[in-house]
Each structure stands twice: as structure tokens, then as C-alpha cells.
Amino acid sequence: MKSPIILGIESSCDDTSAAVIQGSTILSNVIASQKVHQKYGGVVPELASRAHQQNIVPVIQTAISEAKIRQKDLDAIAYTIGPGLLGSLLVGSSFAKSLAIALDVPLIEVNHMQAHIFAHFIQDANDEAPEFPFLCLTVSGGHTQVVLLKSYTDLEVIGETRDDAAGEAFDKIGKIMGLKYPAGPEIDRLAKEGNPNAFKFTKPKVDGYDFSFSGLKTGVMNFLNQQQQKNPNFIQENLNDLCASVQHTITDMCLEKLYLAAEDLGIKSLALAGGVSANSELRLKLNLKTEEGYKVFIPKFEYTTDNAAMIAIVGKIKYENEQFGELTSKSQARFKL
């Protein structure tokens, strides 16, 4: 019996993406990014939903064409139901529901954050997929979480941010330093030429496995204001060192909580997921944990940022377990894992 062919649709923020999967093999993964937000220094929800409306038909057509299948070959449609920007989610969900009705195939609802984690189970995401139980540090523009996974269906968020996410911290601090949006990749690039120990920033103290990045953002802002009063060119003259020091602090804050959870729970398998998992220092530091006997799982770059391949793999798992959605289901801007 042939493996089902599933179309995944992702439209939670500012990337319109469609992917086709058969079994655990990605046949196509197409992403249309939106440049319109750069001049505003962040995603503008109304502009994002309008861009999704323009992009969704050609993106899905391209994904089906690149997969070398026909529309009628699809066995199910998987889409992001939340969390995300409500207007953007509605574009993807409306199209997914319409296509499912037209093709008379099941509809599958996917949690965006679960999809980031389950990207590890795409056939070419890693040399091998993580085995249960494992811990996953999920870091993105809107979320920072430590998730304990005991099975495909048994997931527990044991730590999360109480304010800003790690990605937000990168972008907001980058904006203060005059970097273009999104600032995370730019900080990563500039940090390679800087000294991570040039400046010390205070890490907020939070109990348990939770995170807090808002205080760091305020601390960096106050530090820069003080230094610019003495030297108006301070940021420009120290930009590489500032980026390296900020990146060093944020990545340490993320990993300290993951390592604490791993030690407390006795779990030796650690995974990384989400858009910020593309950060080179975060990947390097986590990989060093293998020297202590840990198994580390970091997906390929193409499966770290928002993409439909991760939606499709969750669709495949849910299809096999007959976990189908309803046409009456509503998109949710806030959606618990």
C-alpha cells in the first residue's frame, strides 16, 4: 500500500509556504517570504495577510508541480491552525478547507509549535531522528519553550518565556543598534567578527525552566544610552563586539534552562527547533554537549524557519492515527501545545 501524499500549508506569520510529503519524504517545499515588513522594523499583520492572499495560490501550485504530482493525487490537506497572526492564519485555513472540500479529502489541523519540533522526523532533517523521551528547546520570534516529549502525542511544555521570546530579544535589541529587520541573522553575521566577552549583560533570574528576555533588552538599551552620552559613535565603533556579547548572552540564557531540565529529568537526548535554531552560536554550543555523552539533534537550516514541510510531517503522523480536523474549526492566534 502506497504512503499517503499530503499537502502542508503554513501561513502563521509572514511566510507563505506549501509542501508535499509522501511517507516521511518531502517532495517539495516552497516558501514565499514577504519583504514589505522590512521598512517597518517588524511584521505588520494587515500587510502580512494581504501578501498571503497574493502568494498562496502560486505557492501551492508550484509545490504540487515541483512534487511531480496532480492535485487529485493528494490524500489529505494539513494546515496551521495556530498559534500565529489571526489574519494570516485565516488565509491558510480558508484555502485548506476549500481545497479539502473540492478534493473530498480529510483536513488535518496542525499546531505550529508542534510542527517545529516534529520537523526532526522528516527523513532528511537529521542523520537520525530523536528517540523518545527527549527534550526540545524551541526558539522563535514569538516563542521560547522547553518541551518534554515522551511520544508523538505526549508533549509537555515544562518551561517558557514569561515575556519576550528569544527571537524578539534579538530583533528589538538589533533595532536599538540600528540593524535592519529581521535583526537576528544580522547579529549572527556581525558577531562572528566580535568578542563575545567584550561586554557583560545581566541575565534575569527566573525560577524553574522559564525564561525572561525583556529585562535583558532594557539592560542593553540603558547601557547603550549611557555609552552614547559619552561617545555618540559608541555603537558604530563597537558593533561587532556588541552583537557578539548580546548573542552570547541570549544563547547562554536559552541553553542554561535546557541543560537544567536535562540534568533534573535525567534525559540525554536534546533537540533544537524554531527559527532561532538557525543561529550559528546556538548550534555550536549545543553540539558541544555531545562531549558530555548527550545526543544532540539539530535540523537542517531549511527546516528551522517557518516552512510547510514541518506542517506536512505532522499531517502525515496525524493521518496515520486518523486524527482529522473539522471544517468548523477556528484558527487560533493563541494555541497551546
Side-chain angles (χ1 to χ4, degrees), residues 108-253:
I108 301 172
E109 302 160 0
V110 177
N111 182 299
H112 179 82
M113 299 311 296
Q114 180 185 18
H116 269 305
I117 299 171
F118 280 18
H120 285 277
F121 297 102
I122 296 171
Q123 189 175 61
D124 65 335
N126 290 304
D127 292 335
E128 59 177 323
E131 295 182 358
F132 301 107
F134 68 94
L135 286 169
C136 185
L137 172 66
T138 308
V139 278
S140 68
H143 298 80
T144 303
Q145 301 173 332
V146 176
V147 184
L148 170 62
L149 295 96
K150 296 180 181 178
S151 71
Y152 286 123
T153 56
D154 189 350
L155 295 79
E156 180 186 359
V157 178
I158 60 173
E160 60 188 335
T161 183
R162 296 183 180 181
D163 39 61
D164 290 346
E168 283 179 289
F170 273 120
D171 288 337
K172 289 178 178 179
I173 292 172
K175 188 174 183 179
I176 294 169
M177 294 192 295
L179 301 179
K180 64 182 180 180
Y181 174 86
E186 191 72 359
I187 289 175
D188 192 5
R189 181 181 68 81
L190 294 169
K192 290 180 172 64
E193 304 299 324
N195 176 8
N197 298 308
F199 305 103
K200 298 292 183 183
F201 298 114
T202 302
K203 302 173 187 176
K205 295 187 182 299
V206 184
D207 294 336
Y209 311 131
D210 283 351
F211 307 86
S212 174
F213 295 96
S214 181
L216 173 65
K217 175 199 66 180
T218 303
V220 173
M221 181 174 64
N222 291 338
F223 171 76
L224 294 176
N225 286 338
Q226 291 168 3
Q227 296 302 316
Q228 285 183 296
Q229 288 176 10
K230 303 173 188 175
N231 175 11
N233 298 317
F234 177 80
I235 293 178
Q236 290 81 359
E237 293 174 1
N238 296 275
L239 187 57
N240 291 345
D241 286 347
L242 285 167
C243 288
S245 299
V246 166
Q247 179 168 271
H248 177 66
T249 305
I250 293 175
T251 54
D252 269 3
M253 289 170 65

Side-chain angles (χ1 to χ4, degrees), residues 270-282:
L270 307 176
L272 192 59
V276 183
S277 67
N279 180 273
S280 62
E281 185 169 351
L282 190 61

